[in-house]
Amino acid sequence: MQKGSCLCGGVTYELSGTLRPSVACHCLQCRKTSGHYVSATQVSAEDLNITKDETLVWYRSSPEAERGFCNRCGSSLFWRCEADNGATSVMSGTLDGDTGLSTCKHIFTAFKGDYYDIEAGVPQLKEL
């Protein structure tokens, strides 16, 4: 079991089951919602238990996906796509303590900011 939350504690959650390695997304939407790029693990719908949601808001960021964030502190927490059958990407930085995760790939690297480099040795996909 892994626990996590937003910065102010208005949203808390628990993850069970196996966590997918973290995927770093450099798309424009992830850059705009996070201020950088997003790194996220993913769990099935039954492995995500939102234990406190008093400040959780879902924003429809595209016709097929939505993003969950805290409306008090602004933390970006979740991303889910209707085509993924309830699987939810969980921002790795919102997990409490050590995660044991590693980054398995970078996606949408054609959109990355010019102010940083991507680490060597991790696969990079320009598009999905």
Side-chain angles (χ1 to χ4, degrees), residues 65-85:
E66 60 185 353
R67 296 169 182 274
F69 68 97
C70 174
N71 70 1
R72 182 167 45 213
C73 68
S75 294
S76 180
L77 297 158
F78 310 113
W79 180 88
R80 63 183 176 202
C81 181
E82 293 171 359
D84 289 341
N85 297 320

Side-chain angles (χ1 to χ4, degrees), residues 24-46:
C25 183
H26 302 265
C27 79
L28 184 60
Q29 285 189 11
C30 284
R31 290 179 54 207
K32 292 290 186 177
T33 62
S34 71
H36 193 37
Y37 67 86
V38 160
S39 186
T41 185
Q42 189 176 67
V43 294
S44 63
E46 57 270 5

Side-chain angles (χ1 to χ4, degrees), residues 1-16 19 41 43 47-56 68 70 73 75-78 89-99 101:
M1 173 99 39
Q2 187 82 41
K3 294 182 178 186
S5 67
C6 65
L7 179 62
C8 72
V11 180
T12 61
Y13 63 85
E14 297 173 343
L15 307 177
S16 56
L19 302 181
T41 185
V43 294
D47 289 337
L48 170 62
N49 178 27
I50 297 173
T51 54
K52 185 177 179 185
D53 66 357
E54 70 181 45
T55 59
L56 178 61
C70 174
C73 68
S75 294
S76 180
L77 297 158
F78 310 113
S89 292
V90 179
M91 305 314 158
S92 301
T94 66
L95 293 165
D96 297 335
D98 293 337
T99 66
L101 295 173

